[in-house]
Amino acid sequence: MTPIRPRDIVIPEDGAAMLADAIKRVAQPSRRAFLQRTLTLGGLGLLTGCTPTSQENIERALAAVSRFNDRAQAFLFDPTRLAPTYPDSMITRPFPFNAYYGEDEVRVVDGDAWRLELSGLIADRKPWTLEALRALPQQSQVTRHICVEGWSAIGKWGGVPFSHFLRRVGADLSAKYVGFKCADDYFTSIDMATALHPQTLMALTYDGRTLPPRYGYPMKLRMPTKLGYKNPKHIQAIFVTNTYPGGYWEDQGYNWFGGS
């Protein structure tokens, strides 16, 4: 893989003053969290120059740092390195609910009628039922969910190794992205290396029971190597592509790679 060099990153001419002004202007909790995660000392050092002149320039500066972080995280990601696992005694009870909406707005999905739709660079695109997914090899893990807002919790997830499923349906494993569309109108995408990571699960159960609606019934993607917003719930469609798909939060300024 080509080493990351500062000169490879296109940085706006507006500099440190721009960044300082951008931080002052940020009001949304989502953008504050984004800044806390992405504006590292390395990113700050790359931004030098003159006073900011427009919101557009500020956004360009923030986007440049975000792109740098995405490349750095992808470069550092080890597809064979496992996230820490924990005993059942350390499970957080109750495991927190988290979404872009309130818990009283959790989507109710009919599991009997639900079908997982496949598209893109996949050879066998036939829809999958819950029963068919449950018939595939299963594994469980007790891992830590890390939220971009600063909290974490340990949970027990069970389901189908995503790498097994992708190979089973003939996905192009050399493709760049795997995208997800969800019943709650959420959408996101991940890199293929993370999709093939041994701990990336198509989660069907939580703590030994059928996945509850609040945690993403009928199926969510569980990735302990990613921040919480990269773990989509209520998944109803998966596609494989070489075209950048973005995501709900990513399109609003969050890092796309989102490694934990």
Side-chain angles (χ1 to χ4, degrees):
M1 186 175 294
T2 303
I4 300 171
R5 300 164 297 180
R7 64 176 177 271
D8 293 332
I9 311 300
V10 178
I11 302 297
E13 294 181 358
D14 303 323
M18 173 191 295
L19 188 59
D21 187 72
I23 294 172
K24 290 178 184 178
R25 295 191 190 191
V26 170
Q28 305 97 322
S30 62
R31 183 52 62 87
R32 285 201 299 272
F34 161 70
L35 286 168
Q36 291 167 1
R37 285 282 180 181
T38 62
L39 296 184
T40 61
L41 289 176
L44 290 170
L46 290 171
L47 292 173
T48 58
C50 51
T51 304
T53 58
S54 69
Q55 185 67 33
E56 180 182 357
N57 285 342
I58 292 169
E59 293 298 326
R60 285 195 297 111
L62 294 173
V65 176
S66 182
R67 289 194 300 271
F68 175 81
N69 275 271
D70 279 337
R71 292 188 62 191
Q73 290 180 64
F75 177 76
L76 295 173
F77 179 70
D78 183 347
T80 65
R81 183 179 181 182
L82 300 181
T85 58
Y86 305 89
D88 287 9
S89 60
M90 293 185 67
I91 294 174
T92 304
R93 304 183 191 278
F95 190 87
F97 168 80
N98 190 242
Y100 72 95
Y101 45 83
E103 191 169 354
D104 60 339
E105 300 176 271
V106 170
R107 305 309 192 263
V108 177
V109 178
D110 182 349
D112 293 332
W114 176 86
R115 297 293 183 271
L116 177 64
E117 303 292 336
L118 304 179
S119 62
L121 303 176
I122 295 175
D124 185 356
R125 301 179 188 174
K126 74 173 186 294
W128 282 71
T129 65
L130 260 181
E131 182 181 6
L133 286 178
R134 288 168 176 160
L136 294 178
Q138 310 280 307
Q139 66 177 223
S140 64
Q141 59 177 250
V142 180
T143 51
R144 185 180 297 276
H145 170 107
I146 301 175
C147 181
V148 72
E149 295 173 344
W151 58 268
S152 69
I154 294 173
K156 184 175 184 178
W157 312 92
V160 181
F162 195 35
S163 60
H164 175 85
F165 181 78
L166 289 174
R167 291 184 171 92
R168 176 70 176 265
V169 300
D172 181 354
L173 304 184
S174 68
K176 294 181 180 180
Y177 310 108
V178 181
F180 308 89
K181 298 177 182 178
C182 307
D184 59 359
D185 299 322
Y186 194 75
F187 64 101
T188 190
S189 55
I190 61 173
D191 56 295
M192 183 59 77
T194 297
L196 298 176
H197 188 275
Q199 288 175 308
T200 298
L201 283 185
M202 303 171 75
L204 305 173
T205 67
Y206 180 75
D207 203 8
R209 300 181 180 180
T210 299
L211 191 68
R214 69 195 302 262
Y215 299 150
Y217 180 85
M219 189 266 285
K220 72 166 287 175
L221 199 71
R222 172 60 191 149
M223 299 172 286
T225 60
K226 295 286 193 187
L227 293 169
Y229 67 89
K230 298 297 293 186
N231 290 243
K233 301 186 291 187
H234 313 288
I235 296 172
Q236 60 184 14
I238 296 174
F239 60 94
V240 176
T241 181
N242 283 313
T243 302
Y244 175 70
Y248 179 88
W249 287 118
E250 296 88 336
D251 292 351
Q252 298 181 58
Y254 276 47
N255 277 147
W256 176 79
F257 193 84
S260 62

